[in-house]
């Protein structure tokens, strides 16, 4: 019996990449990561740091100790990228928003290597072919959609992973700005709070990504993570939180026109707040997690992988009580 596919993770120390690496190891896939000699200096927003406290150096050492193969290379060094890709079967990219367009370099290397069974581009958000988001996130989604079109035009086998809202960015603060834990007195809710959103822990994103990587039925399809226990309105989540802390929060409902004014009034220097507000608006007001599945091009993860035990919103919030 043939062994499991070898998986290369690009961006392995990021908020999602680290969990994909661990999930790949746990699933028994030989796991490789591409590591730069001189990593760039990145000033991470406070919310990101709170959700991912482990440093890059600690992660890489833990990866190596656990049996991950570290390959020295650089996305901007075409030959090193080709050499790394030739050693694996599946390539999973988890680059951040500033490197989305650079994935054309990965696609070119995949084409030259000629051995890749599947490429997962850096998506890990809402379905970029089904959204009504506003700037500044619209530009990022459009860049991701362009990468999809390049992949398809080049005939590269793919899977798109649409996981919607990370708990570390949407739930640990209940979609509030400038805090890193759920509020206990007052909460601002975009719109009427009755639009369903899809929430998932970063660790579970890793698990479902590897499930899809090992699933031949996910070839050339988008896999959607809208897990039943986590497909909730913000009002439902706030009610859940209130029961846990035994207290009723003051709720301030912010109409869409006011939310749009807030987003527009924030300068680029206001990142990540302007970006987060636009993401919250996409899910909580525009309903970008609410749509019908097309079996010809989509896979609903909860139906395809019903045996996966995932963390529920209810369980996630317990840590903050």
């Amino acid at each position: 019996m043939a062994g499991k596919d070898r998986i290369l993770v690009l961006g392995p120390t990021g908020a999602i990449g680290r969990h994909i690496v661990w999930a790949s190891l746990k699933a028994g896939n030989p796991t490789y990561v591409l590591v730069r000699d001189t990593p760039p200096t990145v000033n991470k927003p406070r919310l990101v740091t709170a959700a991912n406290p482990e440093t890059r150096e600690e992660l890489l050492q833990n990866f190596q100790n656990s049996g991950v193969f570290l390959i020295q290379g650089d996305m901007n060094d075409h030959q090193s990228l080709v050499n790394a890709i030739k050693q694996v079967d599946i390539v999973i990219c988890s680059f951040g928003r500033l490197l989305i367009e650079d994935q054309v370099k990965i696609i070119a290397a995949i084409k030259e290597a000629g051995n890749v069974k599947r490429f997962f581009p850096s998506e890990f958000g809402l379905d970029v072919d089904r959204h009504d988001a506003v700037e500044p996130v619209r530009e990022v989604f459009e860049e991701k959609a362009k990468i999809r079109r390049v992949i398809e035009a080049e005939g590269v086998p793919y899977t798109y992973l649409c996981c919607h809202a990370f708990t570390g960015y949407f739930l640990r603060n209940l979609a509030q700005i400038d805090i890193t834990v759920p509020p206990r007195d007052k909460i601002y809710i975009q719109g009427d709070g009755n639009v369903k959103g899809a929430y998932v822990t970063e660790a579970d994103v890793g698990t479902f990504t590897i499930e899809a990587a090992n699933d031949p039925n996910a070839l050339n399809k988008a896999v959607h993570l809208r897990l039943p226990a986590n497909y909730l309105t913000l009002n439902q989540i706030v009610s859940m939180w209130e029961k846990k802390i035994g207290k009723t929060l003051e709720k301030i409902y912010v109409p869409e026109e006011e939310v749009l004014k807030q987003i527009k009034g924030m300068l680029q220097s206001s990142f990540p707040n302007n970006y987060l507000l636009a993401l919250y608006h996409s899910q909580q007001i525009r309903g970008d997690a609410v749509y019908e599945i097309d079996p010809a091009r989509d896979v609903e993860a909860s139906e395809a992988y019903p045996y996966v035990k995932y963390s529920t919103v209810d369980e996630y919030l317990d840590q903050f009580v």
Side-chain angles (χ1 to χ4, degrees), residues 100-159:
I100 297 302
E101 293 183 310
D102 284 346
Q103 290 179 105
V104 294
K105 300 172 184 177
I106 301 169
I107 296 167
I110 287 173
K111 290 285 287 184
E112 182 173 329
N115 61 291
V116 170
K117 297 179 181 179
R118 198 101 58 89
F119 175 45
F120 286 65
S122 186
E123 296 243 346
F124 307 107
L126 56 73
D127 187 337
V128 296
D129 285 334
R130 293 181 175 107
H131 77 88
D132 192 25
V134 299
E135 297 295 359
V137 297
R138 173 175 284 274
E139 180 182 5
V140 176
F141 297 158
E142 289 177 348
E143 289 173 359
K144 290 183 177 182
K146 287 177 183 176
I147 291 298
R148 284 189 178 192
R149 305 293 86 85
V150 174
I151 290 169
E152 294 157 6
E154 292 292 336
V156 172
Y158 65 85
T159 296

Side-chain angles (χ1 to χ4, degrees), residues 37 48 67 88 94 109 113 127 135 146 171 200 231 273 304 319-320:
D37 289 325
V48 177
V88 301
S94 59
D127 187 337
E135 297 295 359
K146 287 177 183 176
L171 274 191
V200 62
Y231 195 37
N273 289 355
Q319 67 185 295
F320 302 107

Side-chain angles (χ1 to χ4, degrees), residues 33-295:
V33 300
L34 190 70
V35 181
R36 293 179 59 173
D37 289 325
T38 53
T41 300
V42 179
N43 293 320
K44 294 183 179 179
R46 195 161 58 102
L47 184 62
V48 177
T49 301
N52 305 282
E54 197 172 17
T55 68
R56 177 183 183 274
E57 291 70 25
E58 290 169 340
L59 267 175
L60 291 177
Q61 187 60 57
N62 289 338
F63 286 163
Q64 196 164 28
N65 293 344
S66 301
V68 176
F69 299 97
L70 274 56
I71 304 175
Q72 294 295 325
D74 193 312
M75 181 183 62
N76 295 312
D77 180 344
H78 177 73
Q79 195 54 54
S80 74
L81 195 53
V82 171
N83 292 342
I85 289 171
K86 282 184 176 180
Q87 300 179 52
V88 301
D89 304 296
I90 295 172
V91 177
I92 301 176
C93 182
S94 59
F95 288 162
R97 64 186 181 88
L98 299 178
L99 296 175
I100 297 302
E101 293 183 310
D102 284 346
Q103 290 179 105
V104 294
K105 300 172 184 177
I106 301 169
I107 296 167
I110 287 173
K111 290 285 287 184
E112 182 173 329
N115 61 291
V116 170
K117 297 179 181 179
R118 198 101 58 89
F119 175 45
F120 286 65
S122 186
E123 296 243 346
F124 307 107
L126 56 73
D127 187 337
V128 296
D129 285 334
R130 293 181 175 107
H131 77 88
D132 192 25
V134 299
E135 297 295 359
V137 297
R138 173 175 284 274
E139 180 182 5
V140 176
F141 297 158
E142 289 177 348
E143 289 173 359
K144 290 183 177 182
K146 287 177 183 176
I147 291 298
R148 284 189 178 192
R149 305 293 86 85
V150 174
I151 290 169
E152 294 157 6
E154 292 292 336
V156 172
Y158 65 85
T159 296
Y160 305 138
L161 204 295
C162 307
C163 60
H164 299 280
F166 305 149
T167 53
Y169 296 68
F170 284 74
L171 274 191
R172 70 177 297 119
N173 59 356
L174 296 191
Q176 305 301 288
I177 296 298
D178 285 332
I179 62 174
T180 60
V181 293
R184 289 176 175 264
D185 298 302
K186 176 171 63 176
I187 185 167
Y188 292 89
I189 298 174
Q190 290 190 8
D192 62 9
N194 290 324
V195 178
K196 277 194 172 184
Y199 301 87
V200 62
T201 67
E202 290 83 342
D204 287 335
V205 172
T207 298
F208 280 105
T209 299
I210 299 304
E211 286 292 333
N214 287 322
D215 178 11
N217 293 322
L219 175 64
N220 294 338
K221 291 184 178 181
V223 175
H224 303 263
L225 272 60
R226 299 184 300 178
L227 309 172
N230 294 355
Y231 195 37
L232 304 167
T233 69
L234 192 55
N235 281 337
Q236 288 175 312
I237 293 171
V238 171
S239 176
M240 194 181 294
W241 175 241
E242 288 175 329
K243 289 177 182 176
K244 288 182 182 296
I245 63 173
K247 183 178 181 181
T248 300
L249 302 183
E250 177 189 354
K251 301 173 189 68
I252 301 172
Y253 291 91
V254 185
E256 182 175 22
E257 60 181 28
E258 180 60 31
V259 173
L260 293 174
K261 283 181 183 177
Q262 292 174 359
I263 295 170
K264 190 174 181 180
M266 289 181 171
L267 300 175
Q268 187 60 35
S269 60
S270 297
F271 180 84
N273 289 355
N274 57 346
Y275 196 82
L276 288 170
L277 269 181
L279 282 176
Y280 300 157
H281 170 264
S282 166
Q283 176 158 270
Q284 294 172 26
I285 292 181
R286 294 292 171 87
D288 284 339
V290 181
Y291 49 83
E292 295 296 322
I293 286 293
D294 177 358

